Coordinates of all heavy atoms in Angstrom, one line a residue:
Chain A
N18 N -13.7 8.6 16.3 CA -12.3 8.7 15.9 C -11.6 7.7 16.7 O -11.9 7.5 17.9 CB -11.7 10.1 16.2 CG -12.5 11.2 15.4 OD1 -13.0 10.9 14.3 ND2 -12.7 12.3 16.1
L19 N -10.6 7.1 16.1 CA -9.8 6.0 16.9 C -8.4 6.0 16.6 O -7.9 6.5 15.6 CB -10.5 4.6 16.6 CG -10.5 4.2 15.2 CD1 -9.3 3.2 14.9 CD2 -11.8 3.5 14.9
N32 N 12.0 2.5 7.6 CA 10.6 3.1 7.4 C 9.6 2.2 8.2 O 10.0 1.2 8.8 CB 10.1 3.0 5.9 CG 10.2 1.7 5.2 OD1 9.9 0.7 5.9 ND2 10.5 1.6 4.0
L33 N 8.4 2.6 8.2 CA 7.3 1.9 8.9 C 6.1 2.0 8.0 O 5.8 3.0 7.4 CB 7.0 2.6 10.2 CG 5.9 1.8 11.1 CD1 6.2 1.8 12.5 CD2 4.5 2.4 10.8
Q34 N 5.5 0.9 7.8 CA 4.4 0.8 6.8 C 3.1 0.2 7.6 O 3.2 -0.7 8.4 CB 4.7 -0.2 5.7 CG 4.0 0.1 4.4 CD 4.7 -0.7 3.2 OE1 5.8 -1.1 3.3 NE2 3.9 -0.8 2.1
Q38 N -5.7 -5.5 6.2 CA -6.0 -6.8 5.7 C -7.5 -7.2 5.9 O -8.0 -7.2 7.0 CB -5.2 -8.0 6.4 CG -5.4 -9.4 5.8 CD -4.5 -10.3 6.4 OE1 -3.8 -10.2 7.4 NE2 -4.3 -11.6 5.7
L47 N -1.5 1.1 3.3 CA -2.2 2.3 3.6 C -1.3 3.5 3.6 O -1.5 4.6 3.0 CB -2.9 2.2 5.0 CG -4.0 1.1 5.1 CD1 -4.4 1.0 6.6 CD2 -5.1 1.4 4.2
Q51 N 8.7 7.3 6.1 CA 10.1 7.1 6.1 C 10.7 7.5 7.5 O 10.1 8.3 8.2 CB 10.8 8.0 5.0 CG 10.3 7.7 3.6 CD 10.6 6.2 3.1 OE1 11.4 5.6 3.8 NE2 10.1 5.9 2.0
S59 N -3.5 10.2 4.6 CA -4.2 9.8 3.4 C -5.7 9.7 3.7 O -6.2 8.9 4.4 CB -3.7 8.4 2.9 OG -4.5 8.0 1.8
A64 N -1.0 8.7 10.0 CA 0.0 7.9 10.8 C 1.1 8.8 11.2 O 1.6 9.6 10.5 CB 0.5 6.8 9.9
S69 N 12.5 7.7 17.9 CA 13.3 7.6 19.1 C 12.6 6.8 20.2 O 13.3 6.1 21.0 CB 13.7 9.0 19.6 OG 12.5 9.7 20.0
S70 N 11.3 6.9 20.3 CA 10.6 6.1 21.3 C 10.1 4.8 20.8 O 9.5 4.1 21.6 CB 9.4 7.0 21.9 OG 8.5 7.1 21.0
T74 N 1.5 5.6 15.6 CA 0.1 5.5 15.8 C -0.7 5.7 14.5 O -0.2 6.5 13.6 CB -0.5 6.6 16.8 OG1 -0.2 7.9 16.2 CG2 0.1 6.4 18.1
D84 N -14.4 0.4 7.4 CA -13.1 0.4 7.9 C -12.7 -0.9 8.6 O -11.6 -1.1 9.1 CB -12.9 1.6 8.9 CG -13.0 2.9 8.2 OD1 -12.6 3.0 7.0 OD2 -13.4 3.9 8.8
A86 N -11.5 -4.2 9.6 CA -10.4 -5.0 9.0 C -9.4 -5.3 10.0 O -9.5 -4.7 11.2 CB -9.8 -4.3 7.8
F104 N 6.6 -7.7 11.1 CA 5.2 -7.3 11.3 C 4.9 -7.4 12.8 O 5.4 -8.3 13.5 CB 4.3 -8.2 10.6 CG 4.2 -7.9 9.1 CD1 5.1 -8.4 8.2 CD2 3.1 -7.1 8.6 CE1 5.0 -8.1 6.8 CE2 3.0 -6.8 7.3 CZ 3.9 -7.2 6.4

Side-chain angles (χ1 to χ4, degrees):
Chain A
N18 302 326
L19 57 98
N32 61 34
L33 183 144
Q34 203 165 344
Q38 183 175 17
L47 297 173
Q51 302 295 351
S59 176
S69 61
S70 67
T74 60
D84 295 330
F104 280 86

